Amino acid sequence: MTAITDRQKLAYANAQAADGRVNVEIETDEGMTLNMGPQHPATHGTLRIVAKLDGEQVISCEPIMGYMHRGYEKLVEVRTYPQINTLVNRIDWLGSFANEVPFILASEKLMDIEAPPRAQWIRTVLFEMSRLANVSLFLGDMALQLGALTPAFFAFRDREHVLNQIEAATGGRFHPNFDRIGGLKDDLPKGWIADTKKAMQKMRTFCDEIEDLIMGNEIFEARCRGVGVIPGEIAQLYGMTGSNLRASGVDWDLRRDQPVGLAWNEVDWKVWTHPDGDSFARYWVRLQETREATKIIDQLLDGLPAGPVMAKVPRIIKVPAGEAWVSTENPLGEMGYYVVSKGDLGPFRVKIRSASFNNIHIVPWVMRGVYVPDVITILASLYFILGDIDR
Amino acid sequence: MSSADGSGVPPDPAEPDTAEAVEPEPAPPVVEPEPEPEPTDELRIGLLAAVTESLGDAVVGSRIVDGDSLTIRVATPAWAEVAKVARHKLHCGFFSFLSGIDWLPSPFGRYEDSPMDEPRPVSTDIVTGVAGGDTRFQVFARVVDLDRKVGIIFKVDVPDDDLAVDTWIHTYPGANWNERETHEMYGIGFRGHPHLIKLYLPGGFEGYPLRKDFPLLARQVKPWPGIVDVEPMPDEAGSDEAAAPSEEAAT
Amino acid sequence: MTAIVLSYWQQTGIKVGLTLLLIPVGALILGWTFLLKMMSHMQSRLGPMDAGPHGVLQLVADGVKFIQKEDIFPDRADRRVFALAPFVILMSTFLLYLVVPVGPDLVAEDFSTGIFFALAVSSLSVIGILMAGWASANKYSLMGGVRAAGQLIAYELPLVLAVVGVVIQAQSLNLSDIVRAQANGEIFGISFLGNPFVITQIVGFLVFLAAVQAELTQTPFDMPVAESEIVGGYQVEYTGFRFLAFFMGEFGTAFAFAGIAATLFLGGWAVPGVDPDSNVMNVLGPIALFVKVMFVSFLIFWFRFTYPRFREDQLQKFAWTILIPISLVNILVTMVLKVAF
Amino acid sequence: MPKIPGLVKGLGVTFKTMLKPAVTVQYPYEKEEPAPRARGVIALKEDNCTVCMLCARSCPDWCIYIEGHKEKAPPRRPGGKPRTVSALDRFDIDYSLCMYCGICVEVCPFEALFWSPEYEYSEPRLADLLHDKERLGEWMETVPDFEPYEAGSTAKVLKVPR
């Protein structure tokens, strides 16, 4: 026999106990507890769902998170404003530029600075491009969760065009760190607009392909229709935002309803809603929004105003004391920063209101009485980024 | 250092926070409000009036920025009530977030001090922000009325001797995780919350990380590389040949 | 004619050896052509390119890697059952190969009830899957095993019923006879192509394909191994050569089923215009069958790489309310027409 | 026209894709050209560095380590007084900590730090990712010129000191 020391046994027992702690909390006499994650393929990241099952039916479930908690709200307290900028674009890493914008806007609000129009427009363009980079992956990923491999590869293939453009402009594919208090780090390089328009064309082709390949698929509809229905009112009370809220029939888009100075109001676009509130509606709304984003970008690029991209800003940024809240319609939903400054080089406190955290909050409510495969469908359709939950 | 009761169980939220090294002083009586122009935002003035009408004296502070924000601070006992007012009377159906704040100035700064310097004087004066405050901890939350497109930020003081306020989850179920997070990060209790366990941190974690007196270990284990380390000229200022790196050399 | 006369055990030895060899070869061919290459190109990728030209040796390399790996048993596994399960599945695959004729004389065992035998032994794999699911001492495995059992049993019926139409038309259960019936048959007097039953039995063919897809647990019926839900189902605890056995079982069975489908519906080893009993067919037959097998496999894998998967209850509903009634009607129509003509 | 079922449409999409050339780039054999602005690795122009420590101080990850000393340099104009300059002894960037934010490059007031789009410098050992000033200086050759700007821009195109 293999010799196992007492120490090893103890370590094992401890590990088991730590793991089981959560299970015990919701385990009762009957039913089976199924522990999904933190290493489960459907939780793309390290979300953990502890579900109590009756057969394949979920009686109750509890998401456990924190496996990727990085303590952003603590970290920002020891950093200066430019340093935070590079930190926050790691919150939702698929649409990272969009994370920087509300933070910068909140800081600008406190400093009473406004970025020049050209910077605002480029910000909006990059914001929408990060939406494309983020949501296009959802379009493939949800199909992947439902068992169709191919759309995921299509998504990666065509997202590349967008990422390449983001890289060409900002230098970073994933973490642009391009937004600055008072404007942008740099202007666009020559030829970028033409290339971006080509990329937008490719994204539209991608949307058509996805529509043919997966959204029109009868099996896909059978899997998604009527699964995970969230009424609009419940969604609001749980703080659900973004496409999830709009898929529940609530016509609320911060880009239109709470303008923060970016250029959305300058172009012609449409907020898509769907009355059903089920997984299919969420997929549908996101697909429409991807198309809409390409249109927004095209229009913005056509009308890009000339001028500088940076306002006059002191070299050492000290933000006057005060409190400011700015939120924008990020790819995942409402992303907001409540910045409390005391006139220092860094903020005193930053409350980061991330979208996925509140979007996932509804999971215990919506996942009662669904089947195990539906758990996957609902999780995929709610669409979260772990960094956005755990922060 | 932070309070660490060592028992491994999540501390009772109602437990008075006595283990503080720095006993929070009773806050300075009233924070001087900056002279501001009178608000002219009808919508937000109306909302404030509606809250005041429902709660009376419980509204202890407020601030309106025209077209931008409305902050209302309420008395601690009225915290649960204000949620009901917001949801049912003001029709703020959308819950945005709830969190806490610790107004104690950080004793650590940004960890950018040379170990050879004199330690900086650490202020313990508590200066609260918008809409005032009397205590070290505050809880604040934001709700939105999607029809009128207006959000309200509610603030409440958390009494220093009893770190707890009422829960919001019966009015806004979305407050559940937010309250759990605030609880684990600040040690603020939420009366009436049925499941106030840790959200992010492991079960046995001790201390409340977002409190200002909780050190950030990652910045403590390593000296700041920004300390100027330029050797002076050997013949300059008669410094000895051993030339211990001097801090003043480059500054 | 035979110059060499082999004794029974010699013959059996050769047959078993060749058949055993066919399993990995079939699995390799399907795995490389469709899983690695076709899937990659359908997804705008190239797939493995390094091991051999266009990665032809990739699966061999993978196999070698699997064999080297440690044979891990879960702590609370039922060790004997756990160890045996992959081989039960392989056995079912092996038995399938025995009855598929690849030429007029090239068939391992020419049972007169060949197709009946094939369908019977194909259900053996359920036992292996259940064993694997149960013995792994893992909730995901168990769910996968139970799902697989429910699914395989449900799809056994449409599979059998789809074949019945063919059997009625060919008036035989023997696979070689079914091939000859197609080669020598004629449709409304046109005997140029023979009578591949895919034309007259198109409904049966489609039902058979759907059922085969489910039998092979391929998307859209891959809930037993659904990696995004139950992380591989009954295979989740397997490593090394036992996992390899599962893999070979899966693709070997796909190869065999494609062979059976080709035999039943596409004329098997017969080539239009060539006398099915001429000796040249013993060389031409395997090639013809291989081409047909690849065609059927292409369909199987094409569906696999395009569709999302059903939910378990939808799968059962699909089997019981759509496939089975259709195949029953198909049988009825076939019977009526058979009597009429 | 009757609606084509989605199941058939989907098959069409995958089939069409199969006939198109793949987009894969066979990495070690062929390489994609990264954008000139890509933040691949930081190059150091040592002559320009004045050991002002700004980069080390603004680094959010504390991954730049600088040591220097004062020395006499020949006068700028003939006949002038010899100048006292700060010279680098050590300039290390720990790429295992760096998060490629580019703040150091941005704050450098003397044009001593530049981004190069090179990316192939992974190491089997974590410790080898600490690039010293010689290594960082070698990257200087790979720094591309700054690109011209898009129409409508008022920004000035800077020059990379060679």
Side-chain angles (χ1 to χ4, degrees):
Chain A
M1 285 296 290
T2 43
I4 298 172
T5 63
D6 282 351
R7 184 188 288 265
Q8 278 170 320
K9 271 185 198 157
L10 195 68
Y12 181 74
N14 277 339
Q16 292 276 309
D19 215 34
R21 202 172 293 139
V22 177
N23 301 359
V24 172
E25 274 165 14
I26 47 175
E27 193 143 28
T28 52
D29 300 339
E30 44 194 283
M32 174 170 95
T33 307
L34 188 71
N35 187 14
M36 292 180 135
Q39 309 283 311
H40 190 280
T43 57
H44 37 130
T46 49
L47 184 73
R48 176 173 168 206
I49 302 255
V50 184
K52 218 186 92 195
L53 302 184
D54 177 13
E56 275 220 30
Q57 213 164 18
V58 177
I59 297 170
S60 67
C61 81
E62 177 79 28
I64 315 282
M65 53 224 179
Y67 294 93
M68 235 190 72
H69 185 58
R70 293 159 290 178
Y72 271 23
E73 291 178 13
K74 186 81 182 169
L75 293 180
V76 296
E77 287 174 9
V78 300
R79 279 165 167 77
T80 60
Y81 285 91
Q83 288 177 344
I84 291 169
N85 196 29
T86 184
L87 195 68
V88 294
N89 66 28
R90 275 141 175 96
I91 290 179
D92 156 22
W93 49 69
L94 291 182
S96 24
F97 183 79
N99 296 324
E100 302 172 10
V101 173
F103 178 73
I104 293 294
L105 288 174
S107 312
E108 284 180 356
K109 196 190 234 180
L110 283 173
M111 293 179 74
D112 212 9
I113 291 177
E114 200 178 340
R118 187 177 172 89
Q120 302 274 23
W121 284 61
I122 298 175
R123 267 183 197 171
T124 320
V125 169
L126 288 171
F127 196 104
E128 290 301 315
M129 286 183 81
S130 56
R131 180 185 314 278
L132 285 178
N134 185 315
V135 177
S136 63
L137 202 56
F138 161 81
L139 296 174
D141 177 74
M142 174 146 173
L144 181 69
Q145 306 294 351
L146 296 185
L149 284 171
T150 311
F153 287 95
F154 284 7
F156 277 113
R157 179 192 69 191
D158 288 329
R159 192 176 70 122
E160 200 68 15
H161 304 302
V162 176
L163 288 182
N164 281 341
Q165 286 315 106
I166 292 180
E167 185 184 25
T170 67
R173 297 167 72 77
F174 254 50
H175 303 302
N177 189 26
F178 196 59
D179 215 352
R180 295 286 180 272
I181 292 176
L184 292 169
K185 181 185 159 198
D186 210 348
D187 210 325
L188 300 174
K190 204 166 188 59
W192 192 83
I193 291 180
D195 288 352
T196 308
K197 285 199 172 158
K198 268 181 229 150
M200 291 307 113
Q201 196 51 50
K202 281 179 181 142
M203 284 311 285
R204 279 191 282 272
T205 319
F206 163 73
C207 288
D208 295 342
E209 272 183 353
I210 284 284
E211 191 158 1
D212 282 350
L213 178 60
I214 189 85
M215 208 178 75
N217 192 305
E218 281 79 1
I219 302 174
F220 182 77
E221 281 199 40
R223 283 295 302 279
C224 294
R225 288 251 193 226
V227 170
V229 178
I230 303 170
E233 201 173 318
I234 300 284
Q236 286 186 36
L237 287 177
Y238 274 96
M240 251 171 78
T241 44
S243 319
N244 293 336
L245 189 65
R246 287 191 285 280
S248 295
V250 182
D251 191 8
W252 175 251
D253 193 317
L254 293 172
R255 288 177 285 175
R256 181 197 61 195
D257 296 327
Q258 205 184 75
V260 284
L262 300 195
W264 285 296
N265 289 340
E266 317 283 331
V267 294
D268 178 36
W269 60 287
K270 180 177 176 341
V271 176
W272 291 89
T273 57
H274 196 290
D276 285 0
D278 56 7
S279 302
F280 186 81
R282 291 191 274 276
Y283 196 87
W284 187 87
V285 166
R286 287 213 174 84
L287 183 63
Q288 304 308 327
E289 282 183 357
T290 314
R291 286 219 178 97
E292 207 64 45
T294 62
K295 283 183 208 156
I296 294 177
I297 291 172
D298 273 355
Q299 294 179 44
L300 285 172
L301 290 178
D302 283 336
L304 196 65
V309 290
M310 195 73 187
K312 272 208 168 344
V313 176
R315 194 173 173 85
I316 291 172
I317 289 168
K318 276 200 176 180
V319 175
E323 297 176 22
W325 159 263
V326 171
S327 62
T328 50
E329 185 73 28
N330 275 38
L332 295 162
E334 182 187 14
M335 171 81 155
Y337 295 86
Y338 193 84
V339 180
V340 181
S341 173
K342 285 204 166 179
D344 208 350
L345 287 172
F348 182 74
R349 161 115 173 86
V350 177
K351 162 68 190 168
I352 303 169
R353 190 255 188 232
S354 58
S356 298
F357 179 73
N358 292 272
N359 287 350
I360 283 302
H361 198 160
I362 206 158
V363 160
W365 185 89
V366 72
M367 283 190 194
R368 292 163 312 173
V370 301
Y371 292 102
V372 171
D374 291 342
V375 172
I376 311 302
T377 314
I378 295 170
L379 269 187
S381 74
L382 284 175
Y383 190 41
F384 54 91
I385 302 288
L386 242 291
D388 208 36
I389 298 177
D390 282 358
R391 298 196 297 275
Chain B
M1 292 295 286
S2 162
S3 71
D5 49 8
S7 57
V9 293
D12 184 358
E15 178 191 334
D17 196 40
T18 50
E20 290 302 320
V22 187
E23 186 67 35
E25 297 288 322
V30 181
V31 182
E32 293 292 323
E34 294 165 26
E36 275 180 14
E38 276 298 306
T40 55
D41 191 333
E42 293 297 328
L43 176 61
R44 290 184 171 81
I45 292 171
L47 286 173
L48 177 60
V51 175
T52 319
E53 189 194 325
S54 308
L55 295 177
D57 290 344
V59 176
V60 290
S62 67
R63 184 175 186 238
I64 295 175
V65 178
D66 285 344
D68 179 49
S69 67
L70 165 61
T71 313
I72 301 176
R73 184 163 69 94
V74 298
T76 318
W79 184 239
E81 188 59 32
V82 77
K84 291 198 189 94
V85 170
R87 180 172 164 194
H88 299 300
K89 276 193 128 172
L90 310 182
H91 307 290
C92 292
F94 176 79
F95 172 82
S96 182
F97 70 85
L98 181 148
S99 190
I101 184 164
D102 176 5
W103 288 107
L104 183 82
S106 165
F108 302 106
R110 289 209 308 281
Y111 302 88
E112 295 183 348
D113 308 310
S114 161
M116 283 162 221
D117 286 355
E118 289 288 312
R120 285 179 305 113
V122 176
S123 156
T124 54
D125 295 342
I126 289 173
V127 180
T128 50
V130 171
D134 300 322
T135 50
R136 178 180 161 189
F137 292 101
Q138 275 188 335
V139 167
F140 62 111
R142 184 170 190 271
V143 292
V144 184
D145 178 358
L146 299 192
D147 296 326
R148 282 183 283 176
K149 300 178 183 175
V150 60
I152 310 174
I153 290 169
F154 289 110
K155 284 189 173 183
V156 65
D157 292 350
V158 185
D160 290 332
D161 52 353
D162 174 20
L163 276 181
V165 292
D166 291 325
T167 180
W168 266 28
I169 68 170
H170 305 302
T171 322
Y172 290 106
N176 184 347
W177 287 3
N178 288 275
E179 289 184 356
R180 277 170 65 186
E181 189 196 356
T182 312
H183 170 66
E184 71 178 346
M185 292 299 170
Y186 289 100
I188 297 171
F190 288 90
R191 276 186 293 264
H193 192 294
H195 200 54
L196 205 58
I197 56 167
K198 285 196 160 57
L199 183 71
Y200 289 134
L201 303 172
F205 191 90
E206 287 171 12
Y208 302 108
L210 273 183
R211 286 192 181 177
K212 288 283 175 182
D213 48 14
F214 190 92
L216 185 59
L217 261 180
R219 290 262 142 139
Q220 283 193 328
V221 294
K222 185 176 167 181
W224 186 43
I227 300 161
V228 175
D229 190 5
V230 179
E231 218 172 297
M233 299 274 289
D235 55 337
E236 219 173 54
S239 63
D240 54 338
E241 293 295 312
S246 158
E247 306 312 321
E248 290 79 28
T251 48
Chain C
M1 195 173 98
T2 41
I4 315 157
V5 178
L6 296 173
S7 64
Y8 173 73
W9 66 266
Q10 278 169 324
Q11 281 185 21
T12 311
I14 290 171
K15 282 173 182 172
V16 169
L18 279 178
T19 318
L20 277 182
L21 198 68
L22 255 182
I23 297 177
V25 169
L28 278 180
I29 292 172
L30 287 196
W32 181 76
T33 330
F34 297 114
L35 184 72
L36 296 187
K37 282 298 152 183
M38 189 182 90
M39 174 163 92
S40 303
H41 284 280
M42 281 186 168
Q43 297 165 347
S44 291
R45 303 184 285 133
L46 288 173
M49 296 289 281
D50 267 7
H54 280 261
V56 276
L57 295 176
Q58 185 62 43
L59 283 174
V60 178
D62 285 348
V64 171
K65 182 193 75 179
F66 275 130
I67 289 167
Q68 290 171 348
K69 280 196 170 178
E70 188 189 350
D71 189 18
I72 299 174
F73 288 87
D75 221 10
R76 273 181 273 177
D78 190 336
R79 293 179 71 94
R80 239 178 292 170
V81 181
F82 184 83
L84 210 61
F87 302 104
V88 173
I89 292 172
L90 266 190
M91 190 176 74
S92 138
T93 311
F94 167 71
L95 291 175
L96 264 183
Y97 275 92
L98 283 185
V99 291
V100 182
V102 294
D105 302 319
L106 296 176
V107 52
E109 280 305 328
D110 203 9
F111 293 129
S112 55
T113 55
I115 183 62
F116 177 74
F117 172 84
L119 295 178
V121 296
S122 75
S123 352
L124 273 181
S125 63
V126 180
I127 299 170
I129 288 174
L130 263 182
M131 282 164 68
W134 171 254
S136 297
N138 181 316
K139 287 170 186 170
Y140 288 110
S141 293
L142 184 62
M143 281 170 71
V146 173
R147 280 180 178 196
Q151 171 178 333
L152 296 192
I153 289 164
Y155 278 82
E156 213 49 48
L157 259 168
L159 195 67
V160 173
L161 293 177
V163 171
V164 170
V166 173
V167 171
I168 293 172
Q169 258 199 307
Q171 293 177 307
S172 167
L173 283 169
N174 183 308
L175 283 166
S176 300
D177 287 349
I178 291 175
V179 171
R180 287 194 180 89
Q182 293 178 70
N184 300 328
E186 55 183 35
I187 316 166
F188 304 123
I190 305 162
S191 59
F192 160 68
L193 270 177
N195 177 16
F197 289 150
V198 66
I199 296 169
T200 49
Q201 289 289 329
I202 180 73
V203 178
F205 181 62
L206 292 178
V207 172
F208 189 83
L209 267 190
V212 160
Q213 200 84 357
E215 284 284 304
L216 297 171
T217 64
Q218 307 265 36
T219 331
F221 306 107
D222 65 339
M223 302 79 168
V225 289
E227 79 289 330
S228 61
E229 293 162 21
I230 51 173
V231 222
Y234 55 89
Q235 305 173 347
V236 68
E237 295 286 0
Y238 282 90
T239 56
F241 72 95
R242 289 184 213 282
F243 182 80
L244 186 66
F246 271 125
F247 181 85
M248 286 204 314
E250 184 187 338
F251 281 81
T253 316
F255 198 74
F257 263 117
I260 291 171
T263 310
L264 290 178
F265 294 98
L266 300 179
W269 45 262
V271 180
V274 184
D275 175 23
D277 284 315
S278 70
N279 222 352
V280 71
M281 281 314 290
N282 278 331
V283 181
L284 212 55
I287 299 168
L289 184 67
F290 179 71
V291 172
K292 290 171 183 174
V293 163
M294 292 308 265
F295 175 70
V296 176
S297 316
F298 172 74
L299 290 181
I300 291 175
F301 284 92
W302 191 16
F303 298 146
R304 168 174 175 166
F305 301 137
T306 305
Y307 292 154
R309 74 172 73 85
F310 277 112
R311 207 168 55 203
E312 193 65 26
D313 56 328
Q314 290 165 345
L315 162 124
Q316 298 286 350
K317 218 184 264 172
F318 184 65
W320 294 100
T321 63
I322 297 178
L323 285 187
I324 292 178
I326 286 180
S327 41
L328 284 175
V329 169
N330 180 45
I331 292 171
L332 198 73
V333 172
T334 314
M335 275 186 340
V336 170
L337 291 180
K338 186 78 193 168
V339 174
F341 288 95
Chain D
M1 195 184 126
K3 193 169 160 283
I4 307 164
L7 291 172
V8 179
K9 265 194 204 167
L11 288 176
V13 172
T14 39
F15 195 81
K16 259 186 260 163
T17 314
M18 187 172 76
L19 303 179
K20 279 188 227 156
V23 295
T24 313
V25 177
Q26 290 288 80
Y27 166 60
Y29 314 115
E30 28 178 306
K31 285 169 190 169
E32 276 184 298
E33 194 67 32
R37 282 189 185 181
R39 299 202 292 265
V41 67
I42 295 166
L44 168 72
K45 182 143 181 70
E46 200 189 327
D47 304 341
N48 284 0
C49 181
T50 59
V51 205
C52 68
M53 305 293 288
L54 262 180
C55 46
R57 288 172 167 223
S58 59
C59 176
D61 288 343
W62 295 8
C63 72
I64 303 180
Y65 310 100
I66 300 177
E67 283 167 23
H69 66 271
K70 299 244 174 198
E71 63 182 23
K72 285 269 189 300
R76 276 217 184 82
R77 266 171 272 108
K81 250 176 72 182
R83 294 172 303 144
T84 309
V85 294
S86 300
L88 270 181
D89 286 333
R90 173 183 181 214
F91 191 103
D92 294 351
I93 296 183
D94 191 347
Y95 281 110
S96 59
L97 286 179
C98 177
M99 58 183 197
Y100 300 85
C101 62
I103 292 180
C104 49
V105 178
E106 218 174 317
V107 297
C108 182
F110 301 107
E111 295 192 325
L113 291 174
F114 295 92
W115 276 113
S116 154
E118 285 298 309
Y119 52 90
E120 289 174 312
Y121 54 95
S122 60
E123 300 282 355
R125 289 193 326 132
L126 215 53
D128 293 341
L129 280 171
L130 188 92
H131 288 197
D132 56 14
K133 66 179 169 42
E134 281 76 29
R135 185 93 199 268
L136 293 169
E138 285 165 21
W139 293 121
M140 207 52 214
E141 291 163 22
T142 64
V143 174
D145 285 330
F146 290 114
E147 295 166 286
Y149 289 113
E150 191 68 88
S153 164
T154 55
K156 225 178 82 204
V157 183
L158 299 173
K159 279 230 152 48
V160 178
R162 300 285 176 187

